[in-house]
Amino acid sequence: ETVEWPLMRRYEGAAQGRGVAADGWRVCLAHSFEELRQPYGAGDVPLRDVLRHVGLGLRYFRWWVKKTRIEKKKAFIDLLCAVPLQQIYGCPLGGIGGGTITRGWRGEFCRWQLNPGLYHYETVIANQFTVCLRCKGQTIYQQVLSVERPSSLQGWNWGYCGHYAFYHALYPRAWLVYELPGQQVVLTCRQVSPVIPHDYKDSSLPVGVFVWEVENGRDEAVEVSIMFSLQNGPGAKEAGSGGHWNEPFTLHKDGQRVAGVLLHHCPPVNPFTLAISAREKAGTGVTHVTAFNPTGLGREVWQDLLQDGRLDSPPGKSRPTEKGEVTAAAVCASCRVPARGHKTLELALAWDMPCVHFGSKEKLHLRRYTRFFGSDGDAGPALSHYALTHYEEWERKIEAWQNPILENSQLPSWYKSALFNELYFLTDGGTIWMEVPPDCSAEELQGPAGAGLSHLLPVLREYGRFAYLEGQEYRMYNTYDVHFYASFALIMLWPKLQISLQYDIAVTVVNEDVQPRQYLMCGQTAQVKMKNVVPHDIGDPGDEPWQRVNAYLMHDTADWKDLNLKFVLQVYRDYYLTHDSLYLRDMWPVCQAVMESELKFDTDNDGLIENGGFADQTYDAWVVHGASAYCGGLWLAAVCMMCKMAEVLGDTEIQQKYLGILNRGKEAFERMLWNGKYYNYDSSGSDTSISIMSDQCAGQWFLGACGLDQGEFEVFPKSHVLSALKTIFEKNVLGFAGGTMGAVNGMRPDGVPDTSSVQSNEVWVGVVYSLAATMIQEGMVEEGFRTAEGCYRTVWERLGMAFQTPEAYREKKVYRSLAYMRPLSIWSMQLALERRAGRAQAPAQLAQAHSHP
């Protein structure tokens, strides 16, 4: 007997992709993706499991009503008003931590993340590019480059035929190609954002550039104008009390001139300015409309452009809007393209929200980019000028980073697309990158117990504080059990941000939070955060992150078995890849503290921790009893790394202590969990204890990434690791959905998925990528690619979930948690490939490369 299960949602209507090229995901704009017919779907969940959660459901519902209806705040996980799947998204605009604006694959501006951690899902119809062609003094073609036919702005020429346009995305760039029917003119709009590895300045900028390449196939010259129109604010619902206004600007600096319009949006909290602009150069003219009504017919703007391919460019500011009134502006760049010739027009979008409050409104925070462009809210012109005069340099750096991978013929095209496009979440994951106030003292950051973190203040002062959400629907910053997987993207591309994040976690470890709170799953009250225990997360954007941690209140995570271990594993992995000895010395006492705290879970002193018979790790709905493959494997890997760190630091006493634990633990792990083919899920002897867990080699994954998987540091016998991985590949991958959807989390030995929990029956995309990396590390390269390919094909092609990769899906039309952090683990596949090919730099060389700003 089954029931409707609201944690999972149905997916209907597969994305009709047109194949994948090395330059990314490609779809024809004419394809219409079928929308969801209903928000929730039926998961095959036994009634007994639902009844088990009835108490939780009632507690959650009461909490949800209080939070959303009485306090008027957003729920950290909203199970009752989940975000529906829209198969429309493309590459987001903007750098790291300054907010993002997502542009869909049809060219629409459709997802807004300007306020930290909050999303506005609305396609703003006035935000468009329009082309005007003139020949011999006459306008011969004028068209909004959109397939939409909206109810507003009906004085414009809508309904561009999508069969003539194609979209390509390779993050952080995207391409929209428009063949203008009957005109022998092709437009290519190249979208560029400053997301550049190891760059801690330009990568923070809230800007995007649109480079329009115009190819004239005619035998006569043609005048081409591109008009960029933009509404003031992210949608009509945000008009609020009014007071919004626009003004034109020009900025001439270093011989380069940029002109445009500033759109000042003035809500009571977190006001900001949008800036649209174009680059003036020889042969290119820039004109503007300061303000027009985007809800009207729009004829005045359309006729203005139609008349001569220019806009009237009135001087002065617009009047402030009335309550509920909406305003918009437009900028137009024009040039003459000779017969059979080519020209380029450059336009930009920037947004300036320098000072932000989180939901509690307790503290004012400055975004990272204010270090370079100021915090007065007047940076729109400077940001626009900088973007339009530096994007070519950004592209050179992006290509130098990406081309060695793109040009590697041994790597499949889908992998190249997945590797770069999954990075969208580093900017679009509600990401914040804040400055530490210059007058902030070490005591303020460290708290009463953090004095030993000597390098904390210099790191945070130089590189700021970084945080991203667990998911766009799971609104908790730096959810640590999940970041464990995603952290490979940071440590490989922006290692200083990973180091900064780790310092923030270390501070919370050594301090404690004595506030009591009731946890929904158990209905009991407990301390929010215990000393010497790694927090689940560093807070909710609706509250005050860093100040109040552990927004997650489904469980009391003080007794979770994986959080402490994942801290230790990341500390050594970070040191191994950066060779930052100051960081290692600072983290060493914290590692000892969390491991000492973890030792209490080894109740029989056999060197192996035991799980507590409740959901006490990242699989928080999949109960574990006794010794387990997942937590036991992480424990042994962490013990091994404690031995290695002690050796590096010359701490022989601690080294001997953990060597003894390691030797006992390895024997217990093999004796209690190895069954001759793979490691059992747990040692409880229950019906599900012999399930094949796809993530059972997580400890080996991290050991292999750090070069601790052989010789004296071989924790898990190689033959056992290979046998387990081959069993997973045979059962969880090939035996699930015909081998086309990745690896299911749990599989019974008889080849039937484990349905004992809502999570054992899921595919977790980030776990699949880490599993694939483990296979590659162990020489199973073909199997690793086959495993990961199933997830990519399912998410990006068949289900149309581009730029919103979910945490989980099932074989039968349900998914969970769109736009999730964990899939960034695909970068561990790249690390495994580089190490295997012998191209990975030695740790000291890598540290030197990472030290460049």
Side-chain angles (χ1 to χ4, degrees):
E1 187 174 3
T2 62
V3 297
E4 293 291 310
W5 188 249
L7 293 180
M8 305 291 289
R9 280 168 287 150
R10 183 179 298 275
Y11 50 77
E12 295 281 0
Q16 304 297 316
R18 280 216 169 169
V20 179
D23 60 354
W25 187 60
R26 176 181 182 182
V27 292
C28 177
L29 298 192
H31 288 311
S32 61
F33 289 169
E34 180 182 350
E35 298 295 337
L36 295 181
R37 291 199 290 265
Q38 57 189 55
Y40 303 121
D44 297 327
V45 182
L47 181 59
R48 65 179 181 273
D49 285 352
V50 178
L51 293 176
R52 188 183 303 152
H53 288 80
V54 165
L56 166 65
L58 292 174
R59 287 191 295 273
Y60 177 84
F61 182 70
R62 286 195 296 266
W63 174 84
W64 181 87
V65 169
K66 180 176 181 288
K67 188 79 172 177
T68 64
R69 297 299 184 261
I70 298 174
E71 298 178 8
K72 304 294 185 183
K73 295 181 178 179
K74 290 183 177 291
F76 76 100
I77 299 179
D78 195 333
L79 303 179
L80 303 180
C81 299
V83 178
L85 170 63
Q86 298 185 82
Q87 298 156 316
I88 65 173
Y89 297 115
C91 195
L93 288 153
I96 300 173
T100 48
I101 300 172
T102 295
R103 195 163 175 239
W105 53 267
R106 291 176 295 196
E108 69 271 54
F109 293 79
C110 50
R111 185 168 66 199
W112 305 75
Q113 186 257 134
L114 299 179
N115 283 303
L118 300 180
Y119 290 84
H120 192 74
Y121 300 92
E122 183 174 345
T123 295
V124 182
I125 203 64
N127 297 351
Q128 300 291 345
F129 287 100
T130 297
V131 61
C132 175
L133 301 183
R134 290 174 57 81
C135 199
K136 299 177 180 177
Q138 298 292 322
T139 297
I140 58 173
Y141 181 85
Q142 188 161 301
Q143 174 72 51
V144 184
L145 296 173
S146 169
V147 297
E148 302 285 350
R149 296 181 183 273
S151 58
S152 59
L153 296 174
Q154 290 192 348
W156 295 15
N157 185 25
W158 297 90
Y160 177 83
C161 181
H163 284 289
Y164 294 97
F166 297 89
Y167 182 80
H168 309 257
L170 191 67
Y171 189 77
R173 297 192 294 175
W175 295 258
L176 262 168
V177 182
Y178 301 90
E179 300 169 0
L180 304 185
Q183 303 304 315
Q184 297 178 276
V185 172
V186 177
L187 306 175
T188 300
C189 176
R190 190 168 75 254
Q191 173 183 311
V192 184
S193 292
V195 180
I196 304 161
H198 311 298
D199 182 311
Y200 298 92
K201 178 190 175 184
D202 289 4
S203 292
S204 72
L205 304 183
V207 297
V209 177
F210 305 97
V211 185
W212 287 84
E213 305 283 354
V214 184
E215 298 174 62
N216 180 14
R218 305 165 71 102
D219 291 325
E220 55 188 343
V222 62
E223 293 178 24
V224 179
S225 298
I226 300 291
M227 181 178 75
F228 183 13
S229 55
L230 193 78
Q231 185 168 302
N232 186 325
K237 297 175 184 177
E238 300 297 304
S241 58
H244 315 306
W245 55 283
N246 307 335
E247 64 173 328
F249 76 90
T250 58
L251 180 58
H252 191 277
K253 182 181 178 183
D254 300 328
Q256 302 286 340
R257 183 179 175 88
V258 168
V261 179
L262 303 174
L263 298 87
H264 302 287
H265 197 72
C266 308
V269 179
N270 299 344
F272 62 93
T273 298
L274 296 163
I276 51 175
S277 61
R279 186 178 186 180
E280 288 187 357
K281 55 187 180 183
T284 299
V286 179
T287 54
H288 71 268
V289 169
T290 307
F292 69 92
N293 178 11
T295 64
L297 294 176
R299 283 178 179 156
E300 69 282 5
V301 177
W302 190 262
Q303 293 300 321
D304 186 7
L305 183 64
L306 190 69
Q307 182 177 356
D308 58 2
R310 304 286 193 275
L311 299 175
D312 278 348
S313 301
K317 304 174 182 179
S318 71
R319 63 170 179 81
T321 59
E322 301 294 334
K323 182 177 181 180
E325 184 185 7
V326 184
T327 187
V331 167
C332 179
S334 309
C335 68
R336 183 177 183 276
V337 186
R340 304 289 176 179
H342 170 273
K343 282 290 181 72
T344 300
L345 296 170
E346 302 148 304
L347 295 101
L349 171 62
W351 51 99
D352 183 24
M353 184 191 285
C355 310
V356 294
H357 286 97
F358 292 106
S360 72
K361 303 183 182 68
E362 292 176 29
K363 291 188 172 184
L364 187 66
H365 300 267
L366 300 184
R367 296 193 191 265
R368 166 72 174 183
Y369 76 89
T370 61
R371 170 179 293 210
F372 315 107
F373 287 88
S375 58
D376 294 334
D378 58 358
L383 284 167
S384 302
H385 189 282
Y386 190 86
L388 286 167
T389 57
H390 285 78
Y391 79 86
E392 293 167 299
E393 177 187 345
W394 298 342
E395 288 197 286
R396 285 194 295 271
K397 292 178 178 179
I398 291 167
E399 288 169 1
W401 159 45
Q402 293 184 341
N403 281 350
I405 294 170
L406 298 178
E407 294 168 1
N408 185 345
S409 60
Q410 296 181 336
L411 299 176
S413 292
W414 68 262
Y415 169 75
K416 299 169 184 178
S417 174
L419 183 70
F420 294 113
N421 282 330
E422 291 289 8
L423 282 175
Y424 83 94
F425 195 82
L426 275 184
T427 60
D428 202 24
T431 311
I432 51 176
W433 189 0
M434 303 303 190
E435 286 286 276
V436 171
D439 58 349
C440 185
S441 67
E443 291 72 23
E444 289 177 85
L445 289 173
Q446 292 168 345
L453 298 170
S454 61
H455 205 51
L456 177 144
L457 187 58
V459 167
L460 295 188
R461 275 187 174 164
E462 179 62 27
Y463 297 103
R465 282 180 139 168
F466 172 87
Y468 58 156
L469 296 178
E470 180 178 337
Q472 290 183 6
E473 296 185 73
Y474 286 18
R475 296 174 350 102
M476 296 156 283
Y477 274 123
N478 292 350
T479 299
Y480 202 72
D481 56 303
V482 183
H483 172 70
F484 171 72
Y485 294 83
S487 62
F488 279 89
L490 274 187
I491 195 60
M492 292 178 69
L493 302 175
W494 290 273
K496 300 299 185 182
L497 295 185
Q498 166 67 7
I499 298 297
S500 170
L501 186 156
Q502 286 284 87
Y503 269 105
D504 272 328
I505 293 295
V507 167
T508 65
V509 168
V510 298
N511 291 290
E512 60 185 325
D513 189 334
V514 296
Q515 304 170 66
R517 179 170 62 195
Q518 186 174 59
Y519 289 87
L520 293 173
M521 187 65 79
C522 59
Q524 297 175 347
T525 299
Q527 202 169 307
V528 172
K529 222 296 281 167
M530 300 288 289
K531 188 174 182 179
N532 296 335
V533 173
V534 171
H536 173 272
D537 59 82
I538 60 105
D540 180 348
D543 189 14
E544 193 63 48
W546 293 301
Q547 190 79 8
R548 284 184 290 279
V549 302
N550 277 345
Y552 177 85
L553 48 72
M554 304 303 284
H555 302 269
D556 178 2
T557 58
D559 285 336
W560 274 27
K561 308 305 183 292
D562 59 340
L563 292 168
N564 290 355
L565 306 176
K566 289 173 174 177
F567 179 81
V568 173
L569 293 170
Q570 287 184 71
V571 165
Y572 182 73
R573 189 272 319 269
D574 299 345
Y575 166 72
Y576 176 76
L577 291 178
T578 66
H579 223 248
D580 187 339
S581 57
L582 290 174
Y583 165 73
L584 182 64
R585 290 187 182 279
D586 267 2
M587 295 299 159
W588 179 232
V590 186
C591 288
Q592 293 178 66
V594 298
M595 289 297 282
E596 195 65 33
S597 174
E598 192 82 6
L599 274 170
K600 66 177 177 289
F601 301 127
D602 180 8
T603 56
D604 54 6
N605 198 34
D606 64 352
L608 189 64
I609 62 170
E610 289 84 38
N611 289 89
F614 59 94
D616 56 358
Q617 28 74 42
T618 196
Y619 297 88
D620 56 356
W622 194 359
V623 176
V624 198
H625 299 264
S628 70
Y630 183 70
C631 290
L634 293 175
W635 163 255
L636 292 179
V639 171
C640 175
M641 290 191 182
M642 288 294 288
C643 296
K644 181 62 178 178
M645 286 188 283
E647 177 187 294
V648 171
L649 295 170
D651 194 333
T652 55
E653 182 180 348
I654 295 296
Q655 184 181 11
Q656 291 305 311
K657 173 182 175 177
Y658 281 98
L659 277 174
I661 295 172
L662 182 60
N663 290 330
R664 297 198 311 276
K666 286 195 295 185
E667 187 278 329
F669 188 79
E670 298 296 325
R671 170 170 45 83
M672 299 175 73
L673 295 168
W674 180 250
N675 65 19
K677 291 190 68 176
Y678 60 92
Y679 293 102
N680 287 339
Y681 178 66
D682 67 23
S683 63
S684 67
S686 67
D687 292 342
T688 59
S689 68
I690 58 171
S691 288
I692 307 163
M693 186 188 198
S694 65
D695 211 4
Q696 64 182 271
C697 295
Q700 178 71 7
W701 169 46
F702 251 71
L703 288 171
C706 300
L708 295 178
D709 55 346
Q710 53 193 343
E712 62 177 310
F713 292 105
E714 183 178 287
V715 175
F716 309 101
K718 280 287 184 183
S719 60
H720 290 188
V721 171
L722 286 170
S723 177
L725 291 174
K726 288 174 181 176
T727 302
I728 294 167
F729 184 69
E730 175 190 346
K731 298 289 188 179
N732 300 54
V733 179
L734 299 182
F736 176 75
T740 63
M741 295 183 78
V744 68
N745 280 341
M747 181 67 84
R748 305 288 296 148
D750 60 1
V752 177
D754 181 340
T755 59
S756 63
S757 83
V758 297
Q759 292 176 339
S760 57
N761 199 18
E762 293 178 331
V763 175
W764 286 9
V765 179
V767 168
V768 172
Y769 288 151
S770 69
L771 169 63
T774 312
M775 290 176 172
I776 292 169
Q777 286 173 183
E778 301 301 327
M780 298 171 58
V781 179
E782 184 178 343
E783 293 90 338
F785 277 125
R786 173 76 183 273
T787 297
E789 182 178 3
C791 280
Y792 175 82
R793 302 288 188 194
T794 298
V795 170
W796 287 80
E797 293 181 354
R798 189 154 66 86
L799 304 185
M801 292 177 171
F803 298 101
Q804 52 185 327
T805 303
E807 157 76 321
Y809 57 79
R810 290 194 188 165
E811 183 178 6
K812 301 295 184 182
K813 295 187 176 180
V814 285
Y815 66 92
R816 180 168 59 81
S817 187
L818 288 172
Y820 199 76
M821 176 197 290
R822 204 181 318 248
L824 286 167
S825 62
I826 193 171
W827 278 85
S828 68
M829 290 180 65
Q830 184 60 24
L831 180 63
L833 288 166
E834 290 178 3
R835 291 191 69 238
R836 183 163 183 79
R839 290 197 302 271
Q841 302 175 68
Q845 293 172 307
L846 198 56
Q848 183 179 8
H850 289 176
S851 68
H852 295 307

